[in-house]
Amino acid sequence: LVSTEVLGVVYVRLTLLHATIQFLSREPRRKVCLTKHSEDQWPSLSSLLWLSVPWSAVLGTLLTLVWVFLLERPDLPLYTTGCAVFGLSAVLQMTAEPPHIYLVNHQHIRAPIVVELVASLSQTAVILVVAHLASSLTPFITGMLVYSVLYIAVYWAMYHVKSRGSEDRIRSPYEMCRISPNHISLTISFFVQSVLKQILTMGEEYVMTFFSVISFAQQGVFSTVSKLAAIVVRVGFKHIEDSYYVFFAQMLHRGLPRQNQNADAVVTCRETLGNLLRFNALFGIVVTIYGISYARVALLVYGGRSLADSEGPLLLLWHCPYIAVCGINGISECYYFATMSQVEVERYNWKLLPFSVCFLALSVCLSYVFGSVGFILANIGNMVIRICFSMRYICQYFGGLDVLQRAVPSVPQLALIAICGGTCLLTKVVFDLTHDSMLGHLCHIIIGGLSFIFLLRMLWECEDASFKTFMKSLSPVVLKSKAE
């Protein structure tokens, strides 16, 4: 229904515009507002939140003009309209920031998951319906409008339900007061950090957009595979990171050394961080091992034979180790950003600046040598170096390697993963050589499913009581009781 060129324009060019406006408008303020504060600071924080709307409008206008007039223009109708709609949607979504912060600060951790699920599923349904009625960018423009309306409406509806009968409510934008200088300076520091982090996180999209190293059609294949891989990151890792950022930020005081913190809180955070890193490490290794055997089958189911016979399986194969390092990096940076002082934030920003430039240069060079795979290789290297930064801070904070040792899977677990992964790889080779048909793929999937269930059971049996208790308390409901 949709050409790969259109997918490249939507999922790289237009999505990058939306993501850049949204991330730079909300990320710095979220980090400031979700840190532990006294009650008398909330009027200042509320005013800071509402300022994200005019700020996003200015940023959105400037970036939309760049996307329309300065970048290479694709030969597609409604491109200018698409830029305007994606930019405007990012601005409108900032009006949902006050209820988001309210709900998360009051430990309604499931709220963002519900909002994202409702809005994303509705957007997908609209795109599929409109794609049968109109072509080019029309389905995606319509889907983005529906997503924005539902995103805002569901957030405010949940806020009104959860805050009913409570005296602690969101201040109106007409009740804005003077913003604390400390909040302003911390927001500026986090903004600089967000710019650099955005470059490092979405560096390949910026390289594709501004340097045109691969065609829009190739971008379409790359973005389709990336979107499939990103489901794991968005649905799994992202919400865990957001939930535990709040947990760490409210358990510990920002900028204070371990010795000056509540002793019980430090012990709880150390155990929680170690178990989180262990869970993400196991998850990432399992995804990587099974991805080797099932990358092509996944794309065959997801996008049909045309996608499965392209360079898509190779891209998805390399995305698997990228997902693994993303999980470790997300949790380690989550703790890092929740506890470091403003001075440490600024020092970190200076470290990221030259690294960001090197990363962009590496992305360009590797893309010329390895094509689309080069972007993934550059991202893996980027994540590994960021993990080293965060782990160094964590080891210094806790005064030892206990957290890192906790994160490493045991030898029996690694042996089990290797045996199950090897079994699936063997069946892949056999069925590819003898039964490259739907029946062969179905048998391969069944064998993989059975081995996966067996592996999960055995990994669980290999774990100690502390990890099992943590996994049973991973839900936001228990997180709420811990934070309280």
Side-chain angles (χ1 to χ4, degrees), residues 99-331:
H100 170 86
I101 296 298
Y102 176 91
L103 291 167
V104 173
N105 267 316
H106 286 75
Q107 303 302 320
H108 301 298
I109 306 297
R110 287 194 182 96
I113 302 175
V114 172
V115 173
E116 185 68 31
L117 189 63
V118 171
S120 297
L121 289 177
S122 302
Q123 180 188 27
T124 303
V126 168
I127 289 173
L128 291 174
V129 171
V130 178
H132 286 85
L133 305 174
S135 58
S136 189
L137 301 176
T138 304
F140 301 97
I141 293 172
T142 309
M144 178 53 73
L145 289 173
V146 170
Y147 176 90
S148 299
V149 170
L150 287 175
Y151 181 89
I152 298 166
V154 176
Y155 255 127
W156 280 103
M158 293 188 73
Y159 160 72
H160 285 297
V161 171
K162 299 294 185 182
S163 65
R164 187 175 298 162
S166 172
E167 296 180 359
D168 184 17
R169 298 178 66 86
I170 296 172
R171 295 169 65 94
S172 163
Y174 300 106
E175 301 177 289
M176 289 179 63
C177 65
R178 182 175 177 272
I179 301 174
S180 165
N182 290 335
H183 293 157
I184 294 174
S185 60
L186 190 57
T187 303
I188 293 172
S189 297
F190 275 126
F191 175 77
V192 175
Q193 183 190 98
S194 297
V195 172
L196 299 173
K197 186 178 177 182
Q198 180 72 354
I199 292 173
L200 293 174
T201 304
M202 303 189 72
E204 70 272 16
E205 281 92 345
Y206 287 108
V207 172
M208 292 178 198
T209 298
F210 287 93
F211 296 97
S212 302
V213 291
I214 58 178
S215 67
F216 285 115
Q218 290 175 304
Q219 290 180 31
V221 175
F222 181 89
S223 62
T224 302
V225 174
S226 297
K227 206 167 180 60
L228 178 61
I231 292 174
V232 178
V233 178
R234 288 181 64 187
V235 175
F237 295 150
K238 187 68 171 66
H239 292 299
I240 292 176
E241 292 164 20
D242 290 345
S243 299
Y244 279 93
Y245 176 86
V246 178
F247 175 73
F248 292 134
Q250 296 188 355
M251 288 287 285
L252 302 171
H253 291 275
R254 179 183 294 279
L256 288 182
R258 171 175 53 90
Q259 295 80 1
N260 296 344
Q261 304 276 5
N262 179 283
D264 291 337
V266 171
V267 171
T268 301
C269 288
R270 182 175 63 232
E271 292 179 356
T272 302
L273 179 60
N275 284 322
L276 276 171
L277 290 171
R278 186 179 185 84
F279 169 73
N280 280 10
L282 283 169
F283 184 88
I285 294 171
V286 171
V287 166
T288 302
I289 291 298
Y290 276 84
I292 295 172
S293 302
Y294 290 94
R296 187 173 183 276
V297 175
L299 289 181
L300 190 64
V301 175
Y302 180 69
R305 189 165 291 276
S306 60
L307 185 60
D309 291 339
S310 66
E311 64 173 347
L314 180 62
L315 294 175
L316 186 57
L317 181 64
W318 280 103
H319 264 99
C320 292
Y322 175 56
I323 289 171
V325 293
C326 271
I328 300 295
N329 177 69
I331 292 300

Side-chain angles (χ1 to χ4, degrees), residues 4-16 74-76 79 137 216 219-220 223:
T4 52
E5 183 180 7
V6 171
L7 292 176
V9 172
V10 172
Y11 290 137
V12 176
R13 180 71 65 87
L14 298 182
T15 301
L16 182 64
D75 187 21
L76 292 173
Y79 172 71
L137 301 176
F216 285 115
Q219 290 180 31
S223 62

Side-chain angles (χ1 to χ4, degrees), residues 333-373:
E333 284 194 346
C334 159
Y335 188 84
Y336 189 9
F337 296 147
T339 57
M340 65 171 142
S341 66
Q342 184 177 341
V343 174
E344 289 170 322
V345 172
E346 293 172 352
R347 192 182 303 139
Y348 182 74
N349 292 344
W350 282 109
K351 291 177 182 177
L352 279 184
L353 184 59
F355 180 55
S356 301
V357 176
C358 294
F359 168 67
L360 288 177
L362 182 64
S363 296
V364 174
C365 295
L366 289 179
S367 66
Y368 278 115
V369 177
F370 298 105
S372 299
V373 174

Side-chain angles (χ1 to χ4, degrees), residues 296 300 305 430-441:
R296 187 173 183 276
L300 190 64
R305 189 165 291 276
V430 171
F431 284 119
D432 281 350
L433 293 176
T434 58
H435 296 89
D436 189 15
S437 61
M438 218 46 176
L439 179 60
H441 292 310

Side-chain angles (χ1 to χ4, degrees), residues 458-477:
M458 296 308 297
L459 289 178
W460 181 259
E461 292 298 328
C462 290
E463 284 298 346
D464 56 23
S466 172
F467 185 81
K468 290 180 180 179
T469 303
F470 165 76
M471 289 302 299
K472 292 175 182 177
S473 66
L474 193 60
S475 69
V477 175

Side-chain angles (χ1 to χ4, degrees), residues 7-72:
L7 292 176
V9 172
V10 172
Y11 290 137
V12 176
R13 180 71 65 87
L14 298 182
T15 301
L16 182 64
L17 171 62
H18 178 271
T20 303
I21 299 169
Q22 187 181 65
F23 189 83
L24 297 184
S25 298
R26 77 183 186 187
E27 189 70 8
R29 290 167 178 79
R30 281 189 178 184
K31 279 189 163 54
V32 173
C33 293
L34 292 176
T35 303
K36 194 171 186 178
H37 294 289
S38 58
E39 289 297 323
D40 61 341
Q41 292 179 306
W42 280 108
S44 169
L45 294 170
S46 180
S47 301
L48 183 68
L49 270 178
W50 280 115
L51 277 180
S52 64
V53 179
W55 163 248
S56 66
V58 173
L59 182 65
T61 301
L62 293 174
L63 290 178
T64 300
L65 292 174
V66 171
W67 255 245
V68 172
F69 295 108
L70 298 184
L71 297 180
E72 177 190 357

